[in-house]
Amino acid sequence: MITLPNPNKIALLTDSTADLTPAMRAGKPIYVVPLKIRCADGEFSDGEDIFAPDIYTRLRRGELPRTSLPEGGTVSDTFAKIRADGYEKVIAVMLS
């Protein structure tokens, strides 16, 4: 892996719809917050306690899960982590 210099100390923030694997993010200043997925039996965090195969199973059963914004506290905590990791600027690319 080639690590490029980042003299402007810029991090990238995105949500789980970017579908970036840990391997894709490794060694890069990329931070991901999970979207909320609302299902008939509750609300879940995408990529943490519900995954694509779970969604496809629900769709086959006739359920239509809905997405919602990431939790505000999660976004705030992620911004705090970005700052703590030494980044001074953020480019956010979100579905919403």
Side-chain angles (χ1 to χ4, degrees), residues 37-40 50 54-56 58-59 62-67:
I37 308 289
R38 293 183 179 164
C39 299
I50 194 165
D54 304 318
I55 300 298
Y56 295 131
R58 290 169 183 272
L59 289 170
E63 183 180 347
L64 183 59
R66 300 182 184 274
T67 60

Side-chain angles (χ1 to χ4, degrees), residues 11-27:
L12 174 68
L13 175 63
T14 190
D15 60 40
S16 56
T17 60
D19 207 22
L20 298 173
T21 66
M24 295 166 112
R25 298 188 324 255

Side-chain angles (χ1 to χ4, degrees), residues 35-88:
L35 280 184
K36 300 307 279 185
I37 308 289
R38 293 183 179 164
C39 299
D41 60 340
E43 188 173 85
F44 304 92
S45 294
D46 184 29
E48 292 181 357
D49 51 13
I50 194 165
F51 302 90
D54 304 318
I55 300 298
Y56 295 131
T57 297
R58 290 169 183 272
L59 289 170
R60 282 191 293 277
R61 291 191 317 230
E63 183 180 347
L64 183 59
R66 300 182 184 274
T67 60
S68 182
L69 297 172
E71 291 181 348
T74 301
V75 174
S76 179
D77 291 348
T78 304
F79 275 121
K81 176 156 180 42
I82 289 169
R83 177 168 291 283
D85 287 349
Y87 297 99
E88 298 174 356

